[in-house]
Amino acid sequence: MLAALQGKATSPTHLNPYSGLSNPRFTARCSHIQSCIDLLPLKDLHEFFPHLLANVFGYDHSQGWQLRGFNAKLHSDFPTLLNFFSPDGHIFRLMGKLESTNSLYEFPISCLPTPTQLSLTEGHVPHLYHDKVDHISPTKLHLTAFEYYIFHFAYYLIFQQTKPQPAPTATPLQDCIYSHLLDVYLNHFLPPLGTLPPALMMTSKQQGSPHHHGYTPPGYISCHPGELRAGGGTEAHAEEREAPLVQAEVLVQVLVEFWLNQNKYNGRHGDILAQAQNRFVPNEEHLLLTRRLVRHVHYFTNGSASGSPYNFLNPLTDDFRRSIIPTFIHKRLYYFLRYSFRHLPLDNTFRYVLELWLTYIQPWRYTDPLRPSSENKESLESLPRRWKAFVLDNFPFYSTLLTEIIGRSFQMDLTSDPGIVLLYRVTKVFTQPGLMDYINYGECLLVDSDLSYSSPGNTPAVDACSLKALFMELDGPLFTYQPLLQDNNTLSAVQLLVEKVQEARGMLSSRLNSSENLCLSQQQSSPPPPPLTPITPTSPVINPSNRWWKSVGGLFSVDGGSSPAPSPPSHPTSDLGKLQSLLETTQTNLITMFGVSLMFSLCCLLVY
């Protein structure tokens, strides 16, 4: 394809921009493109831009520029490439030139998430696309140069999961250039401290408009120069003071759209779209990068000069900081987590989605970007009014999603590291002082319509009506809230979980004793005895005929079948001791969270 492009007529300078895309040295590619940006007229740059992005991201059936496999520790070209794509680099300088012409570029609707495609097919245009849909040709979006690049960047993570992979990359995620670029873009467009950055450097408008060229990569891109978007989409770029906000909003909206909106959620029935073939299962990298986005948004929201997310001194960013979570992230993330909790396998992938959830529901850990969250000593009690408002404004994340995790816990193997650590992490977060009190208060609001709570700043008070409206918006009008702390079925399920933990503790104790006896036997006998045959204990199984379980069994609709068989004991004695300690703490945390008693559970079992 590139060979054919190299035969195209070039500018009077005889500089062919397409010839440099095949150079095996990335430093040479960047230098060639820099020369093209400096020397070529806007007409040629406009025609070149779509081909450049298709080649960079591999959408032209090439290998692309290996943004996922390009290793910071192994490639000497890494700094050059990182600078090339940075907001101060040449690719953004090229976008600045192209934005000055008001030119638009086409992005295929077939690359959008399935729910968005369905909405557009039904005639419902989501807010993000209201000024971008081509009503004459409803298979394309019309995007500015900046939007066009951000759409490409966000889609790349999905494209990497859907295209056939010849071999897994050996580059750790934290070392690849795509991961570094995400951090660079988030820090630039959503600075945790200070004001938003200047807009893209806009050059003065050139005389004349570039002409549309005839080449379109297969099924992908073409461009229409000089068009102004219906609905005033380019008006937001007319005043430079508005451009930083526009660019920051575009970045957040597009990342959320591609990364959190791949599965259609049916709020009326409280489940994801039934067709299994339409389900998108995120991989570990997807979850890690999404968690990084959520964490950074917390820093940005909390990072005002006064140290409070509800008291901003910069009028330009005031409303945006306050609205970024409820407007752009809240609903999409909730659907994403509900889908993941119900359908993802209980492996490392589930661990990463759990960490994504725990990151979102603990904004108090992300108040100082200059200090790691593990060293952030701020707690719920440090600013109780501020964090209580967040808990109530995001109440389903703390109540409904915790109920989902309780149901999924019965499928976990609580005699091996993954299951123990997953449940321990959840109970550790929810036993932070004050959190369960806030959840209890939220449930009281739902029961007593006369109660209310005034949020900090100018945000409206949280009362029973607003909480019910929140659940209706997220889960549909037919959704029935299942209380955590005021419902016998939920408490019975927690009691059963406490007993499951107790049984797992007994199994680990037996393994620990066997391991200690083996060590003692090896010390006293010579020659050493043959290896001990691993003991494979029976998995703790809840009797489906138990009347308690019948009452709560329908509460948790999950995929995955029965509990996995416990793993054979392969841990050293010290590791077994640590796991047993984690289980003991987990059991104590569950009892603290819900006020249930293990002894009461055992007594009730005797009665039944």
Side-chain angles (χ1 to χ4, degrees), residues 1-74:
M1 182 194 73
L2 292 178
L5 291 175
Q6 291 169 9
K8 291 173 59 70
T10 59
S11 66
T13 62
H14 302 292
L15 182 62
N16 188 339
Y18 304 95
S19 62
L21 297 180
S22 58
N23 195 309
R25 295 183 60 250
F26 287 102
T27 300
R29 291 191 201 182
C30 295
S31 177
H32 176 79
I33 294 171
Q34 176 184 353
S35 299
C36 293
I37 296 172
D38 292 334
L39 300 176
L40 291 180
L42 278 176
K43 172 184 179 297
D44 291 349
L45 291 178
H46 172 77
E47 295 179 347
F48 175 59
F49 185 56
H51 297 279
L52 172 62
L53 295 193
N55 184 259
V56 165
F57 293 100
Y59 301 152
D60 59 355
H61 306 295
S62 69
Q63 292 184 352
W65 287 29
Q66 304 174 21
L67 300 184
R68 174 58 189 91
F70 209 86
N71 194 319
K73 298 179 180 178
L74 301 178

Side-chain angles (χ1 to χ4, degrees), residues 399-431:
S399 56
T400 304
L401 293 183
L402 179 57
T403 303
E404 297 275 0
I405 289 296
I406 293 173
R408 206 69 204 270
S409 298
F410 287 101
Q411 299 177 338
M412 296 179 184
D413 176 11
L414 297 183
T415 62
S416 64
D417 299 49
I420 295 174
V421 173
L422 286 177
L423 191 55
Y424 167 77
R425 287 283 293 120
V426 174
T427 61
K428 180 182 178 183
V429 168
F430 278 85
T431 50

Side-chain angles (χ1 to χ4, degrees), residues 45-110:
L45 291 178
H46 172 77
E47 295 179 347
F48 175 59
F49 185 56
H51 297 279
L52 172 62
L53 295 193
N55 184 259
V56 165
F57 293 100
Y59 301 152
D60 59 355
H61 306 295
S62 69
Q63 292 184 352
W65 287 29
Q66 304 174 21
L67 300 184
R68 174 58 189 91
F70 209 86
N71 194 319
K73 298 179 180 178
L74 301 178
H75 293 83
S76 59
D77 289 345
F78 189 92
T80 300
L81 208 57
L82 186 64
N83 291 332
F84 180 81
F85 289 107
S86 71
D88 297 325
H90 297 299
I91 194 75
F92 275 78
R93 186 162 64 90
L94 172 59
M95 285 187 275
K97 282 190 170 186
L98 297 174
E99 292 255 342
S100 69
T101 67
N102 293 325
S103 298
L104 300 180
Y105 300 85
E106 291 181 355
F107 189 91
I109 288 178
S110 60

Side-chain angles (χ1 to χ4, degrees), residues 183-196:
D183 289 337
V184 168
Y185 295 156
L186 291 175
N187 283 309
H188 180 82
F189 293 104
L190 301 173
L193 298 175
T195 60
L196 292 177

Side-chain angles (χ1 to χ4, degrees), residues 189 196-199 239-249 316 320:
F189 293 104
L196 292 177
E239 300 182 25
E240 186 172 347
R241 68 177 184 84
E242 295 182 4
L245 274 179
V246 172
Q247 293 166 0
E249 288 182 5
L316 184 65
F320 182 56

Side-chain angles (χ1 to χ4, degrees), residues 10-307:
T10 59
S11 66
T13 62
H14 302 292
L15 182 62
N16 188 339
Y18 304 95
S19 62
L21 297 180
S22 58
N23 195 309
R25 295 183 60 250
F26 287 102
T27 300
R29 291 191 201 182
C30 295
S31 177
H32 176 79
I33 294 171
Q34 176 184 353
S35 299
C36 293
I37 296 172
D38 292 334
L39 300 176
L40 291 180
L42 278 176
K43 172 184 179 297
D44 291 349
L45 291 178
H46 172 77
E47 295 179 347
F48 175 59
F49 185 56
H51 297 279
L52 172 62
L53 295 193
N55 184 259
V56 165
F57 293 100
Y59 301 152
D60 59 355
H61 306 295
S62 69
Q63 292 184 352
W65 287 29
Q66 304 174 21
L67 300 184
R68 174 58 189 91
F70 209 86
N71 194 319
K73 298 179 180 178
L74 301 178
H75 293 83
S76 59
D77 289 345
F78 189 92
T80 300
L81 208 57
L82 186 64
N83 291 332
F84 180 81
F85 289 107
S86 71
D88 297 325
H90 297 299
I91 194 75
F92 275 78
R93 186 162 64 90
L94 172 59
M95 285 187 275
K97 282 190 170 186
L98 297 174
E99 292 255 342
S100 69
T101 67
N102 293 325
S103 298
L104 300 180
Y105 300 85
E106 291 181 355
F107 189 91
I109 288 178
S110 60
C111 294
L112 299 179
T114 299
T116 300
Q117 295 185 46
L118 293 175
S119 295
L120 294 174
T121 301
E122 297 168 355
H124 305 296
V125 180
H127 177 74
L128 174 62
Y129 303 99
H130 81 280
D131 59 346
K132 301 175 177 64
V133 176
D134 186 342
H135 297 285
I136 299 176
S137 178
T139 60
K140 313 171 207 173
L141 300 177
H142 282 176
L143 306 176
T144 66
F146 176 77
E147 293 168 342
Y148 190 61
Y149 176 78
I150 297 300
F151 269 71
H152 278 63
F153 181 82
Y155 176 65
Y156 181 76
L157 183 61
I158 307 302
F159 180 71
Q160 288 291 300
Q161 298 178 69
T162 56
K163 76 170 187 176
Q165 298 288 338
T169 176
T171 302
L173 182 66
Q174 66 271 16
D175 294 332
C176 77
I177 195 167
Y178 187 80
S179 174
H180 280 255
L181 285 175
L182 175 65
D183 289 337
V184 168
Y185 295 156
L186 291 175
N187 283 309
H188 180 82
F189 293 104
L190 301 173
L193 298 175
T195 60
L196 292 177
L200 289 175
M201 293 301 295
M202 301 298 180
T203 58
S204 59
K205 290 198 174 185
Q206 306 288 327
Q207 294 296 323
S209 296
H211 299 287
H212 172 51
H213 63 85
Y215 176 76
T216 302
Y220 203 63
I221 45 179
S222 62
C223 46
H224 293 267
E227 295 183 13
L228 289 179
R229 185 179 283 164
T234 55
E235 293 177 1
H237 295 268
E239 300 182 25
E240 186 172 347
R241 68 177 184 84
E242 295 182 4
L245 274 179
V246 172
Q247 293 166 0
E249 288 182 5
V250 166
L251 177 66
V252 174
Q253 283 185 279
V254 175
L255 290 178
V256 169
E257 167 73 356
F258 279 99
W259 295 0
L260 296 179
N261 190 35
Q262 290 295 328
N263 291 294
K264 182 172 178 59
Y265 184 83
N266 189 342
R268 181 177 297 274
H269 298 96
D271 202 357
I272 306 300
L273 189 67
Q275 289 85 347
Q277 65 270 20
N278 290 330
R279 288 180 180 171
F280 175 86
V281 180
N283 61 17
E284 296 175 9
E285 295 179 358
H286 186 139
L287 296 169
L288 283 169
L289 292 178
T290 303
R291 178 174 180 259
R292 192 174 300 180
L293 169 64
V294 169
R295 183 180 58 195
H296 189 92
V297 167
H298 276 323
Y299 280 128
F300 176 71
T301 302
N302 297 334
S304 65
S306 65

